[in-house]
Amino acid sequence: MRPILYSIKSKIVIFAVIATLLPTIGLGLLSFKQNETLISDSVTRELRALADSINRQLNQWIEENTLAVRALSTSNPVIEGLITLKQFSNNKSVNAAEQAQSVMVSYLHSVQAKLDEVLELTVFDDTRKIVASSADIPEVRESPEQWTHTSLTSGVIAMPPAWNARYATATISIIYPVLSYDSQLIGAIAATLDLGTLKNKLAEIKKFSTGEVIILSQSGQILLSSAPGVDHQITLSPHQWELTQMFEESVSYDGLSYPKAIGLAYASENIPVTILVEQDHSVIQAAWIKLRNRFLEFVSMLIVIVTSVALYMGHSIVTPLKQLINAARGIVEGNLDIHLSAKRKDEVGQLTDMFNQMTHALRNKHAEITAANQAMQQQNQLLQKLSITDGLTGLYNRTKLNTILSEQLARFKRHNRSFCLLMIDVDYFKTINDKLGHIVGDRILVTVASVLLKSIRTIDYAARYGGDEFMVILTETDSSAAIKTAERIRAEVSAACLAFKEQPVHITLSIGITQSRRADTMPNNLIARADAALYEAKESGRDRVYCADS
C-alpha cells in the first residue's frame, strides 16, 4: 500500500483544509465593514445633535432680537415721532418735523448703544420713506408695500443673512411694522443685526463636541464659523455645495475646517441659512484605521502561510507535469526517442510509466504509418493527375482547360496581356479510324499530343478537347505569332505520321485561331470563336490555319 502522502488527492485535501481559512477572511471583511458602518452612524448622530443645538440657538437668538425690534416698534418715542411727523407734514411745519426726527435719531442711537446685536436702526413713515436712522447710510432703504397678517405680528426679514463688508461681519436685517395707539399702520422700523455675536455661543456649544460649526448663506458663502482661520470670503465650490444640500445626511468631502472632513448640513427653519457641522475625517477614522491595520497584518500573515504551502504543492505537482508537457511537445514535433525517468510512486509516476509505454507503441507504429502515408500520397498524386489529364494522350482534359481559360481571362483583364486559343482537328479522322482501326487512330492522337507538347513553351498549355479535337493556349501571344506556331504544329504532325514504320499515314490538321478580347467574359466566348475559325479552315479545304482575328 502506497503512503497516503504520495497521493495527489491527499495534497489537494490538504490545500482544501487551508482554503477553509478563506471564510475567516470573508467574515473579517464583513465585520470590518459593519464596524465602519457603526462608526459612520455614530458620527452622523453626533453631527445631527450638534446641528440641532446650533439651530436652537439660532432660533432663540432671532426670537430674542425679533422681540427687541417689536418692543422698539411699540416704544413711545417712535410712535409719537411718526405721529408728529405726519401731523406737521400736513401743516408744513418744518421746525416741528425736524425736531421730531432729531428726537427719534437720538433715541435710536441710545437704543443701539445698549443692544450689542444691533448695528443700526432705521424708521420709515407710512409712505415708506426713511425719517430717522442711526446710520448715515442705512442698509435697509425701504419698507414693504403691503403687510400680511403674519408679517404684522412677526415682522419681515428685509435682508437675508449675508456678509456685510461695511461692518466686516455677517448681518441680517429685520423690519417690523409700527402701529399707532389705535392700531393703524403709521410706519415701520428696521434693525440690522450682527450675526457675529453668535460666535461666543458657538464656541460654548463646541466645548461638548469635537466638531466645527459653519453658518452658510443661501448662496453658499461663509457667514460665521467656530473654526479659526476660515475665511468668510470663501464660497463653496459647486461640488461642495451639492454635497451639503444632502440635508441631514453625513458626507465626506474636502472640508472647510479640515483638509478632509465628514460633514452634515441642516437648514434652519426661521433664518434662511444652512448650518454645516464638520468633523475631522482623520480623527474619526483613527480607530477604523487601527482596526484595518490589524486586519491587514492578519491577512498578510495568512497569505504568506497559504502562499508557502501553495508553492510547495505547486512544485511537487507542476514540475513533473511540466516534464510530461515538454515530452509531449517533443512527440508533437516528431521526436519519438523520448524516455522519462519514473521515480515517483503517486499518480504522476503512474502517468509517466504509461507515457513511456505510449511512446514505445508510437515508435513501433510510426514506420507503418510512414509507409502507408507514402503509398497514399503516391495514390493521391496519381488521382489528382488523372482528374485533370486525358488518359490516352496525357494532355489536360476539358475541365482543366476551362479552368485555365478562366485564369487567363482574369490575368488578361488585370494586366492587358493578350493570349491566343488554337482549336485543332485531325482531318478525316473518323474515316482513317474506321479504315485502319482504333489502334492506329489512338497512335495518331498520341502523336498529335506529343507534337503539341514539343511545339509549345513551358508557359503554354495543351489539352484534348474531345475525340480528335485539341486545344492549345498560347500565353502572352498575339494572333500573328499564334499563326506561326499553328503552321509549325501542322507541318510536324504530318511529318511524324508519315514516319510510322509499320503503316505510314498521311495526316493533315485544320486549325482555328482566336485572340483574347476585352469583351470576353467567359471561356465559351473564345471557344466559340476558335470553333468558328476551325469551321472556316475546314470549309476552305482543310489542311490549313484560319485566324478569326485576321
Side-chain angles (χ1 to χ4, degrees):
M1 181 177 178
R2 293 176 300 161
I4 189 172
L5 290 180
Y6 287 164
S7 172
I8 293 179
K9 182 184 290 186
S10 65
K11 296 175 182 178
I12 295 175
V13 170
I14 293 173
F15 184 79
V17 172
I18 297 174
T20 56
L21 295 175
L22 294 178
T24 304
I25 298 176
L27 291 175
L29 290 173
L30 180 61
S31 175
F32 183 66
K33 186 66 177 178
Q34 289 177 343
N35 183 71
E36 182 182 7
T37 303
L38 290 174
I39 293 175
S40 178
D41 292 343
S42 176
V43 171
T44 301
R45 286 194 298 270
E46 184 176 350
L47 292 176
R48 284 177 182 170
L50 180 58
D52 288 339
S53 178
I54 297 299
N55 184 55
R56 287 194 297 271
Q57 287 294 330
L58 276 174
N59 292 337
Q60 181 180 351
W61 183 85
I62 196 67
E63 287 175 3
E64 290 176 354
N65 285 281
T66 301
L67 290 175
V69 177
R70 183 178 181 181
L72 288 174
S73 69
T74 59
S75 62
N76 291 333
V78 174
I79 296 174
E80 291 176 358
L82 289 174
I83 293 174
T84 301
L85 285 174
K86 187 172 183 180
Q87 290 175 349
F88 284 102
S89 63
N90 295 333
N91 296 329
K92 308 298 182 181
S93 177
V94 177
N95 292 333
E98 290 179 350
Q99 185 177 0
Q101 286 179 326
S102 177
V103 171
M104 280 195 292
V105 169
S106 298
Y107 176 71
L108 294 177
H109 277 293
S110 64
V111 171
Q112 178 188 339
K114 296 177 182 179
L115 299 176
D116 295 335
E117 293 87 352
V118 178
L119 296 174
E120 62 179 54
L121 294 168
T122 304
V123 177
F124 302 86
D125 60 15
D126 57 353
T127 64
R128 302 171 63 211
K129 178 182 177 182
I130 296 175
V131 295
S133 178
S134 64
D136 296 334
I137 302 176
E139 292 291 324
V140 182
R141 305 295 178 84
E142 60 181 17
S143 63
E145 294 184 12
Q146 296 181 351
W147 294 86
T148 63
H149 177 74
T150 302
S151 61
L152 285 172
T153 57
S154 60
V156 177
I157 294 179
M159 297 178 66
W163 183 263
N164 193 309
R166 184 171 67 173
Y167 291 110
T169 186
T171 62
I172 181 173
S173 297
I174 301 174
I175 189 166
Y176 213 94
V178 178
L179 304 178
S180 63
Y181 296 122
D182 56 354
S183 299
Q184 297 296 319
L185 182 66
I186 59 174
I189 183 169
T192 299
L193 306 177
D194 182 7
L195 276 174
T197 57
L198 280 169
K199 193 163 187 178
N200 293 332
K201 294 185 178 181
L202 295 182
E204 292 178 1
I205 296 173
K206 206 192 75 169
K207 291 179 181 178
F208 304 98
S209 174
T210 58
E212 299 289 351
V213 181
I214 301 170
I215 308 298
L216 303 172
S217 68
Q218 291 178 319
S219 62
Q221 186 180 27
I222 297 175
L223 302 177
L224 190 64
S225 173
S226 64
V230 177
D231 191 353
H232 66 271
Q233 295 182 350
I234 295 176
T235 301
L236 270 68
S237 66
H239 179 65
Q240 289 175 319
W241 182 247
E242 181 181 354
L243 290 175
T244 57
Q245 295 310 293
M246 298 172 63
F247 293 113
E248 301 189 37
E249 293 293 336
S250 60
V251 292
S252 297
Y253 60 99
D254 295 332
L256 302 174
S257 307
Y258 308 101
K260 185 71 173 179
I262 296 179
L264 181 142
Y266 192 98
S268 180
E269 299 91 346
N270 297 332
I271 305 178
V273 295
T274 298
I275 303 169
L276 179 64
V277 288
E278 294 182 341
Q279 284 196 2
D280 191 350
H281 185 277
S282 61
V283 174
I284 294 172
Q285 297 299 316
W288 178 84
I289 291 173
K290 184 177 181 180
L291 178 63
R292 181 199 65 187
N293 292 339
R294 289 183 177 178
F295 176 74
L296 291 177
E297 290 174 0
F298 170 75
V299 172
S300 299
M301 292 176 60
L302 189 62
I303 290 174
V304 170
I305 295 173
V306 172
T307 302
S308 300
V309 175
L311 287 174
Y312 169 75
M313 295 179 64
H315 180 76
S316 63
I317 296 174
V318 175
T319 300
L321 290 180
K322 285 185 177 180
Q323 293 177 353
L324 286 170
I325 291 171
N326 293 332
R329 185 181 293 111
I331 291 177
V332 171
E333 294 173 353
N335 181 16
L336 297 179
D337 297 327
I338 295 176
H339 181 80
L340 297 177
S341 176
K343 298 180 179 180
R344 299 172 62 105
K345 299 180 181 179
D346 56 11
E347 288 85 347
V348 175
Q350 296 179 27
L351 181 60
T352 303
D353 288 336
M354 296 186 69
F355 181 86
N356 290 331
Q357 295 176 20
M358 179 189 69
T359 54
H360 179 70
L362 286 174
R363 284 192 294 269
N364 293 335
K365 295 293 183 181
H366 183 261
E368 299 177 9
I369 294 173
T370 302
N373 187 42
Q374 290 176 351
M376 186 179 296
Q377 287 180 355
Q378 292 175 357
Q379 291 295 324
N380 289 338
Q381 291 173 359
L382 178 59
L383 290 173
Q384 184 179 7
K385 182 178 180 181
L386 291 175
S387 67
I388 63 173
T389 59
D390 177 61
L392 176 63
T393 62
L395 300 179
Y396 289 127
N397 58 21
R398 187 169 184 171
T399 301
K400 181 62 175 178
L401 174 70
N402 288 331
T403 302
I404 295 172
L405 280 175
S406 298
E407 294 173 352
Q408 290 300 315
L409 281 173
R411 187 176 293 109
F412 174 61
K413 297 290 185 183
R414 291 195 302 270
H415 305 297
N416 198 28
R417 294 179 180 177
S418 61
F419 65 95
C420 290
L421 176 64
L422 281 61
M423 181 174 280
I424 304 169
D425 184 73
V426 180
D427 294 331
Y428 306 111
F429 179 76
K430 186 176 185 304
T431 301
I432 296 171
N433 197 42
D434 293 339
K435 182 179 179 181
L436 301 179
H438 292 289
I439 296 176
V440 176
D442 290 345
R443 186 176 179 185
I444 292 171
L445 295 178
V446 171
T447 301
V448 172
S450 176
V451 171
L452 291 179
L453 291 175
K454 293 177 181 178
S455 301
I456 63 176
R457 302 165 298 178
T458 56
I459 60 174
D460 299 328
Y461 305 93
R464 184 183 180 188
Y465 191 64
D468 61 327
E469 288 185 336
F470 298 86
M471 281 194 179
V472 174
I473 300 173
L474 301 177
T475 62
E476 299 184 10
T477 303
D478 56 14
S479 57
S480 61
I483 292 172
K484 294 179 180 179
T485 302
E487 292 290 356
R488 185 171 62 253
I489 292 172
R490 188 175 61 83
E492 290 182 3
V493 167
S494 179
C497 290
L498 286 173
F500 289 170
K501 293 182 179 180
E502 296 84 357
Q503 190 173 4
V505 183
H506 179 65
I507 295 297
T508 62
L509 301 178
S510 296
I511 303 176
I513 302 174
T514 185
Q515 183 175 326
S516 58
R517 301 175 184 176
R518 299 298 296 180
D520 294 332
T521 59
M522 299 176 62
N524 289 340
N525 299 135
L526 287 102
I527 294 173
R529 288 203 308 275
D531 188 52
L534 177 61
Y535 177 79
E536 292 294 334
K538 290 181 178 181
E539 286 296 311
S540 300
R542 302 179 187 270
D543 192 20
R544 66 189 65 246
V545 175
Y546 183 84
C547 181
D549 303 300
S550 299

